[in-house]
Amino acid sequence: INAKPYYDGRNITLSYMNGRCGSTLAASMIHKTGQCTVVSEPWAMLDIVERGHIQRENPKLRAEMHNLTKAAILMIAKDPKRKYFIKMGMVTGVLVKAIKDIFPAAKEIYMYRAFRPTMMSYRKLFGPFAMTILSGLVVPRCIGKDKHWDIWHRNKTSNPYKRFFIWMFCNMEYFYEEAKTRTDIESYSYESFQADREGYIRHLMGGMGIGP
């Protein structure tokens, strides 16, 4: 952090998502251009997100979270002259509240899919046993605000699919709240990818300053 005090993240694109939305395929196509380093779901960020749920409401600890986040991303995006696409993973929605303060010039995008096909895709991929374990891990990580906890306690359930749905809602809500006051976060739906793959990828890469 001290070595790069003025690093504003202008060469970084951060992608948030709920998964099963075409993000892996998009990341693969970006990687194939050779014009961008692609990093998929860095585990260091997941730990920071978990800490962030505790720290972000505490002004004394917010600076620590920001420093941890900045240090982790600087370890990933080491070369300021190289473009980076960081696929943040499923439980990093909370970071959308902090990244603009840490890297004001970084590009942020949100990749998503309609709720029902997302749930069906996860159900087909994991099955009930794995979904039970997964929902037990992601719900505590994503339910961080008082409003989310209130929703969780009023609808608390042992059904893994319902638990997973609550996680998706909480994770997406961070993005929706931020988008109310910001116009610089672009969203990309899986449905638009299916309708026009070439246009989808062209628009995504164009926003990053890469492409054929």
Side-chain angles (χ1 to χ4, degrees):
I1 295 174
N2 293 333
K4 300 179 180 179
Y6 304 111
Y7 187 44
D8 61 7
R10 66 182 62 229
N11 61 322
I12 298 172
T13 299
L14 299 163
S15 172
Y16 312 105
M17 71 211 62
N18 273 350
R20 316 307 295 165
C21 59
S23 59
T24 300
L25 181 57
S28 177
M29 296 178 77
I30 292 169
H31 173 71
K32 288 178 180 178
T33 68
Q35 301 172 45
C36 184
T37 297
V38 175
V39 182
S40 182
E41 302 184 27
W43 283 100
M45 300 306 299
L46 302 184
D47 181 59
I48 290 170
V49 169
E50 195 165 13
R51 291 168 183 259
H53 283 305
I54 300 171
Q55 296 173 359
R56 73 178 183 281
E57 302 300 338
N58 187 328
K60 295 181 180 179
L61 297 176
R62 192 175 297 125
E64 180 185 347
M65 179 198 171
H66 282 204
N67 284 337
L68 284 170
T69 303
K70 187 171 186 177
I73 293 180
L74 286 176
M75 289 176 65
I76 297 166
K78 297 179 180 180
D79 185 355
K81 298 180 180 178
R82 178 77 178 166
K83 293 184 183 296
Y84 291 87
F85 179 84
I86 305 177
K87 181 172 173 279
M88 298 297 284
M90 299 188 301
V91 296
T92 50
V94 64
L95 285 178
V96 75
K97 307 290 288 185
I99 288 295
K100 209 62 181 175
D101 293 333
I102 302 168
F103 294 110
K107 181 178 176 60
E108 297 173 273
I109 65 174
Y110 193 86
M111 307 178 82
Y112 67 97
R113 188 178 186 179
F115 274 129
R116 182 176 177 82
T118 301
M119 285 295 299
M120 295 303 293
S121 182
Y122 272 118
R123 183 170 184 168
K124 183 178 180 181
L125 177 66
F126 292 122
F129 179 73
M131 285 287 281
T132 300
I133 297 174
L134 190 60
S135 63
L137 292 173
V138 298
V139 168
R141 281 183 169 175
C142 286
I143 297 181
K145 297 192 299 184
D146 289 340
K147 178 171 63 175
H148 292 170
W149 278 114
D150 182 56
I151 293 171
W152 170 244
H153 287 302
R154 284 190 286 112
N155 298 276
K156 202 168 185 178
T157 174
S158 60
N159 183 296
Y161 302 112
K162 292 180 179 180
R163 287 171 66 95
F164 206 77
F165 178 85
I166 291 174
W167 159 71
M168 284 201 301
F169 165 79
C170 293
N171 203 40
M172 290 186 78
E173 207 255 349
Y174 288 115
F175 165 73
Y176 288 139
E177 272 201 348
E178 196 71 4
K180 289 178 182 178
T181 57
R182 289 175 55 186
T183 59
D184 59 329
I185 305 177
E186 292 192 9
S187 59
Y188 295 84
S189 72
Y190 182 74
E191 289 73 19
S192 64
F193 174 75
Q194 288 181 310
D196 181 10
R197 293 192 177 194
E198 184 177 344
Y200 178 100
I201 295 298
R202 188 189 304 114
H203 182 72
L204 174 60
M205 290 185 179
M208 297 171 57
I210 63 173

